[in-house]
Amino acid sequence: MFPNTIFVAFPLLVFIIYSLFKRARKWVRFYRRVSYIRRHFPGPTPHWFWGNALDKPGLFDPGLEWHLRAASKYRRVLVFWGLWHPCVILNHPDTLREILKSTTASVKSVGYQLFSDWLGQGLACSDGVLWRRHRRLITPSFHFNSLKRYVPIVNKVTTTLLGRLSVIADSDTPLETHHMMTRCSADAILQTAFSYESRCQERESPILAATRTLTDIGTSRMLNPIMACYSIFRLSPVYGIWKDAVQKVNGLGERLIRERRAKLMESEEKTGVATDTREMDFLDSLLLARDAFGDGLSDAEIRDEVNTFIFAGLDTTSSAVTWLLLDMAKYPEHQARVQAEVDDVMAGKESEYISGEDLQKFKFLQMCMRESLRLHAVFMPARTLLEPLTVDGLTIPPRTSVMLNFYQLHHNPDVWGDDHMVFRPERFARERVEARDPFAFVPFSAGPHNCIGQQFAMQEIQIVVARVLRHFSVGLLRESRPVFSVVGKPKDDVILSIKRRESAPAGNL
């Protein structure tokens, strides 16, 4: 008995000792990394236990005052401490450039995985070989020539928006801007993604409601360390709501993918070419995409990428349009100049639809759009280093989270001056842009991981705002502060007054 007990107990003892040794070595490495960062990197003084997590104002408080103060005091690099975990924040072109262009190995932070039930293996959540393969297959869908086919769809959706705005203007009631623009953006994305007419501008849409639910719950989990733990999240009552919304969104996507694939296969059997009578949409592009080996994306991968497209585009464009209309209302002299430019470009045209060629002529509108994005866009992607990275003479150790804080970058006084909170479209005059560091303005990131849909978003913003200001003038009734979400959206809805322009073209909108 005794020898047998030793025979069993000795390997178990060795395993326990080895496990404790590995854990101790891990903690020693963690302690060394934390101590090194605490000694060498600047930043707000952290509490010994909470770090900066309880700072007032906080990292994600409305108005983002924490970020404005940080950008004013630490103008290149700083550290935010969440309990004992450091996150290095980069907020200057010189320091951001190192990671945006660097080949240093890194992976997306765990925050992205909070959306993985919904977005699966889409570009937002994937890394490495899988991300590169999907990126190569999807990139042609956002080529300049491919984007042209989305222009009529966005115009059609905007015509519906203008009809609703006419009712508001004629009744002399305030415009709840973000609410209205979210519905418009959702309509545009669903039609360009699926050719799916949800009529969400005219009635409540279950798909839009489910998408908003998923975005809101995912964002709240990012701000709550306890709910970020998946095991705890699954035990919460919110999980059931999340799961139902995921099933609703995925169910629609899977059904439309099956139907579209069947149509393309039927067409290929009859004609030898997989085509459809209507204009191609994003779903068609994904179904027809092939890699160097002739392999395409599976139905699950296509669903994940379409969900990612909707997720990334909904808040981005609706918030950007809302902020730009707020700036136009706040600065009527710039609004008048945009209206004059749009009137000049559209003069003599039979159709009120804006073409891709027209977009290239909206020089001042583009300046206003970029300045509005600089002022209001809140995009803070984070990555976890797998290798050391040197920025500004400081070496960031592996396994450290690095936040690319574009909001702080766009309010860095060393880059934009002490008047960085003032709306000045002339900052984006051609000669000033050419004289400025190319990494000074990156609302959609830059380098290999830049937002693949940025041109689509900017195209939609211009069409919607140009056509709205072609027919209406807006005035400011109530501003709002930005809050952290996937992008910076208003804490409370922006309320504008809206009136028909006397010089607006007659006839149907």
Side-chain angles (χ1 to χ4, degrees):
M1 291 290 293
F2 185 71
N4 289 339
T5 303
I6 295 177
F7 181 78
V8 173
F10 183 74
L12 180 61
L13 181 62
V14 171
F15 174 76
I16 292 173
I17 293 173
Y18 176 71
S19 298
L20 291 173
F21 172 75
K22 283 185 65 178
R23 184 173 293 275
R25 187 173 62 174
K26 179 180 178 181
W27 276 102
V28 168
R29 288 177 175 174
F30 173 75
Y31 176 78
R32 288 177 176 174
R33 177 166 61 89
V34 166
S35 298
Y36 170 81
I37 293 173
R38 191 179 289 270
R39 287 196 310 270
H40 293 90
F41 285 75
T45 303
H47 183 271
W48 71 271
F49 181 79
W50 296 110
N52 301 114
L54 299 182
D55 284 359
K56 293 297 178 184
L59 188 71
F60 301 118
D61 284 354
L64 304 175
E65 185 67 26
W66 191 95
H67 296 276
L68 295 174
R69 293 183 182 181
S72 177
K73 187 172 182 180
Y74 308 100
R75 303 187 180 188
R76 298 179 71 83
V77 59
L78 69 149
V79 177
F80 174 87
W81 293 86
L83 302 181
W84 299 323
H85 293 273
C87 177
V88 176
I89 296 175
L90 308 179
N91 59 11
H92 189 278
D94 293 343
T95 54
L96 282 161
R97 182 187 294 106
E98 296 301 324
I99 193 166
L100 289 173
K101 294 184 65 175
S102 176
T103 57
T104 300
S106 64
V107 294
K108 291 172 180 172
S109 70
V110 294
Y112 292 91
Q113 300 310 313
L114 300 178
F115 296 90
S116 59
D117 283 358
W118 173 27
L119 307 181
Q121 297 296 315
L123 286 178
C125 296
S126 60
D127 264 308
V129 175
L130 180 64
W131 179 87
R132 287 192 291 273
R133 178 175 183 267
H134 281 215
R135 179 86 179 198
R136 283 195 297 267
L137 287 171
I138 296 171
T139 295
S141 302
F142 293 96
H143 186 272
F144 178 75
N145 290 330
S146 299
L147 291 176
K148 284 183 178 179
R149 62 175 177 254
Y150 300 143
V151 171
I153 298 175
V154 177
N155 271 285
K156 174 186 171 185
V157 167
T158 305
T159 297
T160 302
L161 171 68
L162 295 178
R164 294 181 61 80
L165 294 180
S166 295
V167 174
I168 294 173
D170 292 343
S171 61
D172 197 26
T173 56
L175 169 63
E176 295 179 348
T177 313
H178 191 247
H179 174 76
M180 187 73 76
M181 298 310 151
T182 298
R183 289 175 173 272
C184 176
S185 180
D187 198 8
I189 289 174
L190 289 172
Q191 291 201 41
T192 53
F194 289 128
S195 297
Y196 179 70
E197 297 199 26
S198 65
R199 299 175 66 89
C200 61
Q201 293 195 74
E202 304 164 22
R203 63 190 183 195
E204 292 298 321
S205 166
I207 297 303
L208 175 57
T211 301
R212 297 300 314 139
T213 296
L214 293 172
T215 301
D216 291 343
I217 293 177
T219 301
S220 66
R221 290 184 67 201
M222 292 176 71
L223 306 181
N224 188 333
I226 296 176
M227 291 298 290
C229 175
Y230 192 72
S231 298
I232 297 176
F233 175 57
R234 289 196 63 174
L235 297 175
S236 71
V238 179
Y239 180 71
I241 301 173
W242 167 272
K243 189 175 180 180
D244 288 344
V246 169
Q247 290 176 345
K248 188 170 294 183
V249 172
N250 284 349
L252 172 66
E254 290 164 359
R255 175 174 64 82
L256 293 174
I257 290 168
R258 286 195 305 269
E259 292 174 357
R260 187 69 56 80
R261 192 182 288 279
K263 285 184 179 181
L264 293 176
M265 290 177 64
E266 181 182 353
S267 172
E268 190 170 16
E269 289 175 359
K270 290 181 179 180
T271 66
V273 181
T275 58
D276 203 333
T277 54
R278 44 171 189 75
E279 195 74 42
M280 283 182 62
D281 56 22
F282 183 56
L283 178 56
D284 289 316
S285 300
L286 297 184
L287 285 165
L288 299 175
R290 295 292 182 270
D291 60 21
F293 302 100
D295 298 324
L297 297 167
S298 68
D299 284 4
E301 289 175 321
I302 292 172
R303 179 203 65 202
D304 293 343
E305 294 300 351
V306 172
N307 284 349
T308 299
F309 178 49
I310 295 171
F311 164 73
L314 180 58
D315 273 344
T316 302
T317 51
S318 61
S319 296
V321 171
T322 298
W323 292 125
L324 182 50
L325 287 175
L326 180 149
D327 290 326
M328 294 293 93
K330 193 173 181 179
Y331 300 95
E333 69 277 16
H334 296 319
Q335 178 179 177
R337 186 172 170 185
V338 168
Q339 289 171 325
E341 180 179 71
V342 174
D343 291 346
D344 183 59
V345 171
M346 300 301 291
K349 292 188 64 174
E350 294 182 3
S351 172
E352 281 296 302
Y353 274 24
I354 292 173
S355 68
E357 291 73 23
D358 296 330
L359 291 174
Q360 299 176 38
K361 301 174 184 177
F362 293 145
K363 302 300 182 184
F364 187 69
L365 172 58
Q366 291 174 11
M367 290 164 59
C368 291
M369 174 182 65
R370 290 183 170 90
E371 176 67 348
S372 186
L373 287 171
R374 183 196 68 80
L375 269 177
H376 305 292
V378 179
F379 186 38
M380 308 177 194
R383 300 190 67 81
T384 301
L385 297 180
L386 301 179
E387 300 174 356
L389 176 69
T390 299
V391 294
D392 217 30
L394 300 171
T395 300
I396 307 174
R399 295 180 294 278
T400 302
S401 293
V402 177
M403 177 185 287
L404 313 181
N405 199 315
F406 301 138
Y407 185 79
Q408 288 189 24
L409 167 70
H410 296 155
H411 292 85
N412 190 322
D414 285 350
V415 181
W416 298 98
D418 292 332
D419 63 344
H420 58 87
M421 293 299 293
V422 179
F423 182 81
R424 291 179 52 204
E426 59 269 22
R427 298 182 204 269
F428 290 91
R430 182 175 178 178
E431 62 276 8
R432 295 197 179 187
V433 172
E434 292 175 348
R436 195 160 49 233
D437 190 302
F439 287 92
F441 177 68
V442 284
F444 297 96
S445 191
H449 287 271
N450 69 336
C451 175
I452 195 171
Q454 61 180 296
Q455 294 302 323
F456 172 84
M458 294 175 77
Q459 178 175 277
E460 182 182 336
I461 295 165
Q462 290 180 78
I463 292 174
V464 172
V465 172
R467 292 197 61 194
V468 168
L469 295 183
R470 171 92 160 131
H471 291 271
F472 304 98
S473 291
V474 292
L476 182 61
L477 298 179
R478 188 182 75 187
E479 288 193 64
S480 181
R481 295 180 295 170
V483 293
F484 177 83
S485 181
V486 178
V487 295
K489 64 180 184 180
K491 179 181 183 297
D492 305 299
D493 209 338
V494 172
I495 306 298
L496 303 179
S497 63
I498 182 166
K499 300 184 181 298
R500 289 181 182 271
R501 293 178 61 200
E502 294 181 2
S503 59
N508 295 328
L509 296 174

